[in-house]
Amino acid sequence: MKQIQAIRNRFFPKPNILPSGFFAFQSPPEASRPYRMHLRLEKDGTGVLVVNAQTVLHLNQTAAELAYHIVNYDSVEVSAREIAKRYNVPEAKALEDAIDFQERIHSLIDTPDLDPVMFLDFNRVDPYSTEISAPYRLDCALTYQTGDETPNSAPTDRVRRELVTDEWKTILLKAWQVGIPQIVFTGGEPTIRPDLVELISITENQGQVAGLLTNGKRLAEPEYLHRLLDSGLDHVMIVLDPESTQAWEA
């Protein structure tokens, strides 16, 4: 059996795995709806594909390579030629697989509340049930201040001081380098920080998804709201105080 395997490996050697790395994809302007994908290629050739910062797919080596071509904006024809050459399979079969993979990915993007197990033949993996090289999301507590006259609801003695802007820039860069696709800015109340817009812009320019957890009060200020949106903010969660008129306006 070992001799047969040795002969097979000699004439049909396994392709070298793609170098590990982290890649971001933004949908083209002509897409029916905007979406973003992040692919993390692991050292063993497998991959983790995160679709719109909410659906996580664990991919084997060949599926990871198909995803790699998508996030590099390659056509299915280019992807098929590369896969056929690397795995010594007919190009027609590789093209069929590439089209099928892309269609299933777009089904995830376009169909709300779709179960990947039942409809897409993807293997669903419970969060953190397998070993991963980096988290899927990093929450950045920029401050524990709330800006309210009432006593702070957030703990104030967990840290001796707030990190300054340059320190947060270093953290965001390291998060990108290790392959964390999503950053959520939280607090306390993060809109108190004068550098929030700048930090969101850095996250966006790196290719990550940027989120905000806020009481929403400053979103009632049109100029500030426009600055947030222009910075590249992708999603926001408002913890609504029903007694606050300003929060309802936001």
Side-chain angles (χ1 to χ4, degrees), residues 77-88:
E77 290 78 13
V78 171
S79 175
R81 284 198 297 269
E82 290 296 320
I83 293 294
K85 182 169 56 177
R86 282 173 54 77
Y87 288 90
N88 194 32

Side-chain angles (χ1 to χ4, degrees), residues 185-239:
F185 296 101
T186 180
E189 177 48 49
T191 58
I192 292 175
R193 291 276 301 221
D195 56 358
L196 175 61
V197 171
E198 180 182 3
L199 296 176
I200 293 175
S201 296
I202 291 171
T203 303
E204 171 71 14
N205 291 335
Q206 288 182 161
Q208 292 157 303
V209 171
L212 176 65
L213 178 61
T214 175
N215 61 22
K217 293 180 179 180
R218 290 208 65 187
L219 305 187
E221 305 172 20
E223 181 180 353
Y224 184 75
L225 175 61
H226 292 158
R227 288 176 57 207
L228 277 179
L229 297 178
D230 287 342
S231 70
L233 182 65
D234 293 291
H235 63 86
V236 60
M237 176 182 288
I238 298 178
V239 181

Side-chain angles (χ1 to χ4, degrees), residues 77-148:
E77 290 78 13
V78 171
S79 175
R81 284 198 297 269
E82 290 296 320
I83 293 294
K85 182 169 56 177
R86 282 173 54 77
Y87 288 90
N88 194 32
V89 297
E91 189 169 322
K93 174 58 178 174
L95 180 61
E96 178 183 333
D97 290 343
I99 293 174
D100 176 68
F101 183 82
Q102 192 169 84
E103 287 178 347
R104 289 191 286 157
I105 293 297
H106 280 281
S107 294
L108 277 176
I109 295 168
D110 296 332
T111 308
D113 302 323
L114 185 63
D115 187 336
V117 171
M118 293 176 59
F119 295 96
L120 297 175
D121 197 30
F122 282 124
N123 291 323
R124 183 170 60 187
V125 178
D126 293 331
Y128 302 105
S129 63
T130 61
E131 185 176 350
I132 58 174
S133 60
Y136 305 132
R137 190 184 82 191
L138 177 65
D139 290 354
C140 297
L142 300 182
T143 179
Y144 284 119
Q145 300 179 55
T146 62
D148 295 328

Side-chain angles (χ1 to χ4, degrees), residues 40-42 48 131-135 178-179:
R40 190 164 65 219
L41 289 179
E42 307 290 8
V48 176
E131 185 176 350
I132 58 174
S133 60
V178 300

